[in-house]
Amino acid sequence: GELMTRGVLPTVPRKLHEQSIVKPQGVRVVAACFNERAVLTSFIESVLAVSGVERLVLIDAGSSDDTVSQIRV
C-alpha cells in the first residue's frame, strides 16, 4: 500500500470508492443502558425492526436493576 508522504494522503482508486457507495453496509447501533430493565425489551425490538439495522450493541453502564440479564436474553 501507499504511505502518506509530506502531508499528502494516498488516493483511493475510483472503482473502490464507487463500489462502497453503491453497496452500503447495514447500520450498526450502539446504545448505553443504565437501569433500563423496564423498557429494554421494547427498545431492542424497535431498533431491530428498523430497516437496514444489521447489529445492535448494548453497553451496560453499571445498572443496579436487572438490565444486564435483559441484555443477555
Side-chain angles (χ1 to χ4, degrees), residues 24-58:
Q25 291 184 342
V27 175
R28 295 178 180 164
V29 177
V30 178
C33 305
F34 182 75
N35 293 336
E36 299 292 343
R37 179 182 173 270
V39 297
L40 193 59
T41 300
S42 62
F43 173 76
I44 292 169
E45 290 171 352
S46 296
V47 170
L48 294 178
V50 174
S51 177
V53 172
E54 177 181 285
R55 183 172 296 174
L56 171 60
V57 177
L58 298 170

Side-chain angles (χ1 to χ4, degrees):
E2 297 178 43
L3 298 176
M4 189 164 90
T5 310
R6 297 183 190 170
V8 177
L9 294 172
T11 58
V12 176
R14 185 174 176 88
K15 184 176 181 181
L16 177 63
H17 180 68
E18 288 174 356
Q19 186 177 29
S20 65
I21 292 173
V22 173
K23 296 181 180 180
Q25 291 184 342
V27 175
R28 295 178 180 164
V29 177
V30 178
C33 305
F34 182 75
N35 293 336
E36 299 292 343
R37 179 182 173 270
V39 297
L40 193 59
T41 300
S42 62
F43 173 76
I44 292 169
E45 290 171 352
S46 296
V47 170
L48 294 178
V50 174
S51 177
V53 172
E54 177 181 285
R55 183 172 296 174
L56 171 60
V57 177
L58 298 170
I59 302 167
D60 183 68
S63 296
S64 60
D65 66 358
D66 204 21
T67 298
V68 173
S69 67
Q70 290 294 315
I71 291 172
R72 291 184 179 146
V73 169

